Amino acid sequence: DTGVSQNPRHKITKRGQNVTFRCDPISEHNRLYWYRQTLGQGPEFLTYFQNEAQLEKSRLLSDRFSAERPKGSFSTLEIQRTEQGDSAMYLCASSLALGGRALDTQYFGPGTRLTVL
Amino acid sequence: GEDVEQSLFLSVREGDSSVINCTYTDSSSTYLYWYKQEPGAGLQLLTYIFSNMDMKQDQRLTVLLNKKDKHLSLRIADTQTGDSAIYFCAEGYSSASKIIFGSGTRLSIRP
């Protein structure tokens, strides 16, 4: 499988709990992105990495959210003290960039659907 | 600022052409994309066009870009039931940073 994979595909949690999602990008891609999609909306950018470095964070990414990409391969997105408003599809994408310029478009994974009760 | 807008719904008869329209505000975008999302599925890249192009054709898909008016359209010829989905217009940058998406147009097909 050469696509972007995400785990778990579905997560149901109670308000106040912490959750962690994982994304495995396409193996040769050096950039990894996180987006959030709520019902009836398009995906909204959260953050992205080049290798291990987190290059940009959206103002949507509150203090309860943290993303890491420790070895420049897979990434995790953690949400602490979840709220009902965090319920959404969390999408990961990856791409290849060189010298700060895109060599290819972003390829998206299937997403992790989070439901906070 | 960065904003992408699209109409929410489009209904066409099977076999007709579908035209989905989009406007964007950021003239510095380098790429304009069309993504397709079927119920419960992820995002599928349909096609994209560089901002210095006017048109791109790929089988049943034709993308038209009017950079002056910041207007992008996607035409699907001979629309089939399998084309039922939500179509997202999006803009991206040569820096390979974030992609800005519209809210999506839900395409439904009438028999």
Side-chain angles (χ1 to χ4, degrees), chain A residues 17-46:
Chain A
Q17 298 295 305
N18 299 344
V19 294
T20 301
F21 311 139
R22 176 178 169 127
C23 170
D24 287 88
I26 293 171
S27 58
E28 62 268 26
H29 283 181
N30 55 359
R31 291 214 172 171
L32 187 148
Y33 309 79
W34 285 100
Y35 292 81
R36 181 176 70 185
Q37 185 178 19
T38 53
L39 203 61
Q41 298 296 317
E44 296 172 293
F45 169 77
L46 292 178

Side-chain angles (χ1 to χ4, degrees), chain A residues 9 31 33 35 37 40-43 45 48 56 89 91 95 97 100-102 104-106 108-110, chain B residues 8 30-31 33 35 37 40-43 45 48 88 93-104:
Chain A
R9 295 292 306 278
R31 291 214 172 171
Y33 309 79
Y35 292 81
Q37 185 178 19
Q41 298 296 317
F45 169 77
Y48 84 97
E56 185 175 349
M89 176 78 85
L91 295 164
S95 75
R101 298 188 70 83
D104 199 358
T105 188
Q106 294 180 25
F108 283 80
Chain B
L8 292 180
T30 306
Y31 304 92
Y33 303 94
Y35 284 86
Q37 188 174 42
L43 285 167
L45 177 65
Y48 66 94
F88 292 97
Y93 306 90
S94 60
S95 59
S97 61
K98 59 192 171 188
I99 291 178
I100 308 298
F101 287 85
S103 296

